[in-house]
Amino acid sequence: MLQIGRSTVSAALQHYFQQKLVSTWSPLATAFNAPPGKRINFTREDVGLFRMPELRTFDGFYLLRDNVEHKTQELIAEAISPKRQRKIVDIFDELSDSLCKVADLAEFIRIAHPKNKYMQAAEEACISICGVVESLNTHKPLYQALSKVVEQGDILPTSEVDKHVAKLFLFDFEQCGIHLPEEERLRVVRLNDYILQLGQKFMNGASQPTILHSRQVPESIRNYFPTSGDNVIITGLCTNAENVQMREAAYRLYLQPLESQEELLKDLLLCRHELARSCGFETYAHRALNASTMERPELVREFIDEFSDQLRPRAEADFTLMTKMKRKESRQPNALTEIWDTPYFTSQLKRQSLEEQANEFLPYFSLGGCMEGLDNLLQSLYGVRLENTEMEPGESWANDIYKLAVVHENEGLLGYIYCDFFERSGKPNQDCHFTIQGGKRLPGGGYQLPIVVVMLGLAQPRWTGPTLLSPSRVDNLFHEMGHAMHSMLARTEFQHVTGTRCSTDFAEVPSVLMEYFASDPRVLRTFARHFQTHQPISEDMLRRLCASKHLFAASETQLQVFYSALDQEYHGEGAGAGRNTTEILKDVQNRYYGLPYVENTAWQLRFSHLVGYGAKYYSYLISKTIASWIWQTYFEANPFNRQAGEKYRSEILAHGGAVPSRKLVANFLQREMTPSILAHSLINEIDTDESKIKELIVSKI
C-alpha cells in the first residue's frame, strides 16, 4: 500500500530534530513538536469522519438523521408498550444516546469543518434533531410512562442511580411544561421561544461598538478612538492602554446606557421569572439550581455573603497596592485606583514580577513538552498514558489533527481524544471541549468508549521549531484536558450523565483542578525544558512564574463574587418587579465590590454571560472553591500521589453526573459542604498564596 502520511513526515522531522537539537523528547512529545503532515492516500478507502462509514461524504448526515428518526420511533413504542421488558431509564438513555451521537457530532462539524458542504449538512442535521426533540417534549404518553415510573417505581428492579437519572430525564421533560394544562403548556412554549429570541438579540447588542457623533465626545479624547465620518467609534474598554485618560474615556463611553439593551434585559429577566413561576418554581434561580451542587439559591447567597465579608479586607489591600502603583506612574500623589485601572495594573505587576523579556518563558513550553508533562502526570495519578495514534484516511476533518488513545495500565483502552489544536481559517477562536460520543455500559457487559475533541487556537508549528506556549496557554491546555479526562475516566451506566454531563456548578471542578497542577513547580519541573538546549527552566524563573499567577487574587476574586451576586439578584425574588437593571447593579456593587459604581455607565448591558449562564454565573466560583478544597486536602502535599489520584477517580470522576454532585463532594472530602467551609477553603488559598508573593511584590513596587 502506498500512503504518504503523518508517520513519514514525523519520522523525517524526528531525525532532523535529533540531529540538530540532541533531543531526548518522548515519542509523544516528538509527535506534537513536529508539524502534522498532510495525509496523501492513493489506495486505502476513506473510513469516514471519526471512523463513521456514513460520513465518508457530507450527505452521510442525511442518512444519520433518517436512521435516528426511525430509531426514535422504535424506542418510543418500546417505552410506552404495556409489554415493556427493559427498565424505563435504559430506554430513555438509549434514546438520549441515539440523538446525542448525531446532534453532538453535527454541532461540532458545523463549526469546525473547513468545507461548506459538510458544515451545511451538519447544520441541517442539527435542525432536524432539534425538531425531533421538540416532538418528544410534547409526547404525553412518553412523559406519562416516565412520570409513572418516577412516582410509583418501575416494573423491574432499579438502583439509586437508576432513580436519580430517571428524575433528571423527568425534569428535562417538564422544562417545556408538558405536565401542565394545555393552555399553560402553550404559554411555557411561547415563553421559551421568546426567551431564546431575547437572548440572541441581547448578545448581539452586547458586542456592538458604541458610535457617537464627534460633538458628543470631548475634543481632548477624540484622537484615542477610530472615526468614521463625523462619528467616533469605541469598540472596547482599552484595558491595557498606558494612558489613563484613554482607559477612563473608553470605560465611560463604551459602557453608556443603551435603552434598547435595557429593555431587552428587563424583558429577558421578566420572561424567565414568569417561566419559572409557570413551572412551579419560586424564582428562575430556584429553577436553574435544581439538581445542582448548591441546590438552592439561598445557599448560594449565604456562600457569597460569607465569602464577601472575609474577602473584603484582602481586596482592599490589593486596591491600596494598585493606588501606590498609579501614584508612582502618574506622579500624582492624590490619584486613586478606579474601576478602569484594575486590569491594567494587574497586567503591569505581573509583567514586572515575571521580568519577562522577549517572551523568555516561551522556549520552555513547547507543545510536545507540555503533552509529555500531561502524560507523566496522568501516569502518576491514574496509571493512564496518552498514545499518539495514526489516523485512517478520511477520519479527521483537517490535516493538522492529532488522535490520542487513552490507555490504562490494567483496564486497557479508555477512549479517544482528538486534538484540534491549531489555528486555521474559519475555525472558532476559542478553547473548548466537545463530547462526540459519551461513555456508557453496554447490554453485553462491554463499555461504549467516550470520544471527545479538545479545541485550542495555537499557532502552527514551523519547520524551524515547535509551537511554543505562553504560561496562560499552558493553563488553558491543562484546563481543557481536565474536561477531556473527566470524560475518559468516567465509567457510568448511562451516557446521559457521563463525564462532563453533570451539574453546571460541578462540571468545571476537574478542569480547574488541573490548573492547580499546571501551577505547581513540582509538576512544571517535569516538563519545562528549553526546546533547543533541553535545559530545564531555572528555579528563579519557576519561582517568578508560579508566584505571578496569584497576583491580586483577592481583588480579581471579589469581582467574580460581585458578578455572581448580581446574577443571583437579577434572577431572584425581585425579578418580576421590572426594576431598572442599573439601579440594581448600583446596590449590588456598593455591597460586594471595593470600587464604586461609575455614574452614567451600565456594564451589565454588555454582560453576555447573563444569557448563557442565567442564575448560574456563580458556578465557576463554586467550582474553583471545590477544586481548591480538593487540592489542599489531597494533592498539595504531593501532586503525584497515586493513592489520592485513584481515590479521586473512583469517588468523583468515575460517576460523572450519576450521583448528585453535592453528595460526591461531601463523601470525598468527608465534610458537609456548608457555605462557611467553602468560603474558608478559598480564603485559606488566597492567604497562603499571598504570603508566597509578598517578597516578589515588595521588590518591584
Side-chain angles (χ1 to χ4, degrees), residues 192-440:
N192 273 317
D193 288 343
Y194 193 39
I195 287 169
L196 180 62
Q197 294 174 33
L198 288 169
Q200 291 172 339
K201 291 178 180 178
F202 181 81
M203 289 185 68
N204 181 61
S207 62
Q208 296 299 311
T210 296
I211 301 175
L212 301 171
H213 194 280
S214 58
R215 289 194 300 269
Q216 298 175 270
V217 181
E219 188 174 352
S220 59
I221 60 174
R222 284 180 203 163
N223 64 325
Y224 295 149
F225 309 105
T227 59
S228 177
D230 292 332
N231 294 324
V232 177
I233 303 172
I234 303 95
T235 58
L237 291 175
C238 305
T239 53
N240 291 320
E242 293 184 6
N243 187 311
V244 63
Q245 285 79 22
M246 184 176 180
R247 295 198 300 271
E248 178 180 357
Y251 188 92
R252 292 184 181 276
L253 297 177
Y254 186 65
L255 298 181
Q256 283 188 5
L258 190 62
E259 187 61 30
S260 60
Q261 282 291 96
E262 171 66 20
E263 291 305 312
L264 285 171
L265 181 54
K266 284 172 61 176
D267 286 351
L268 177 66
L269 299 176
L270 180 60
C271 286
R272 282 176 170 172
H273 183 72
E274 291 298 317
L275 176 66
R277 301 286 290 181
S278 295
C279 292
F281 293 95
E282 184 179 342
T283 68
Y284 187 80
H286 285 85
R287 179 179 184 266
L289 268 66
N290 187 69
S292 68
T293 306
M294 294 302 284
E295 296 181 342
R296 307 190 313 276
E298 292 82 5
L299 286 177
V300 174
R301 179 54 63 90
E302 189 178 339
F303 163 70
I304 287 174
D305 288 346
E306 174 93 19
F307 188 38
S308 178
D309 288 344
Q310 297 185 49
L311 191 60
R312 186 172 293 110
R314 294 162 172 85
E316 287 175 357
D318 283 356
F319 294 133
T320 298
L321 181 57
M322 290 184 201
T323 296
K324 183 179 179 181
M325 294 176 67
K326 186 174 182 179
R327 289 175 177 176
K328 181 178 180 181
E329 182 177 282
S330 66
R331 298 180 182 179
Q332 295 180 7
N334 297 320
L336 296 174
T337 297
E338 304 288 355
I339 199 167
W340 49 78
D341 293 323
T342 55
Y344 171 74
F345 286 111
T346 298
S347 62
Q348 281 291 97
L349 184 56
K350 186 168 293 189
R351 191 177 302 117
Q352 293 171 18
S353 301
L354 287 173
E355 297 178 356
E356 189 170 350
Q357 296 178 359
N359 296 318
E360 66 167 326
F361 288 91
L362 287 176
Y364 293 92
F365 295 109
S366 67
L367 176 58
C370 293
M371 295 305 296
E372 183 177 291
L374 275 164
D375 185 47
N376 292 336
L377 180 64
L378 296 174
Q379 288 191 50
S380 297
L381 293 175
Y382 313 115
V384 166
R385 67 184 188 275
L386 305 175
E387 294 184 357
N388 185 49
T389 303
E390 184 74 19
M391 279 184 283
E392 296 294 319
E395 184 177 350
S396 68
W397 52 100
N399 293 318
D400 55 1
I401 312 300
Y402 297 94
K403 179 182 179 182
L404 294 175
V406 181
V407 182
H408 190 273
E409 61 189 18
N410 297 320
E411 299 169 38
L413 181 63
L414 298 181
Y416 292 105
I417 303 172
Y418 289 81
C419 301
D420 188 350
F421 282 176
F422 303 116
E423 296 173 327
R424 65 175 175 271
S425 177
K427 178 182 172 181
N429 184 25
Q430 58 184 356
D431 295 346
C432 49
H433 158 271
F434 296 86
T435 298
I436 304 300
Q437 176 173 283
K440 63 174 290 185

Side-chain angles (χ1 to χ4, degrees), residues 588-626:
V588 175
Q589 185 164 343
N590 287 337
R591 181 173 180 182
Y592 291 101
Y593 196 50
L595 297 177
Y597 165 77
V598 179
E599 289 297 330
N600 199 38
T601 63
W603 69 257
Q604 81 280 6
L605 302 182
R606 300 277 186 183
F607 194 39
S608 59
H609 284 88
L610 289 171
V611 175
Y613 290 88
K616 295 182 180 180
Y617 189 83
Y618 78 92
S619 295
Y620 181 79
L621 194 61
I622 286 294
S623 291
K624 166 80 171 173
T625 303
I626 295 172

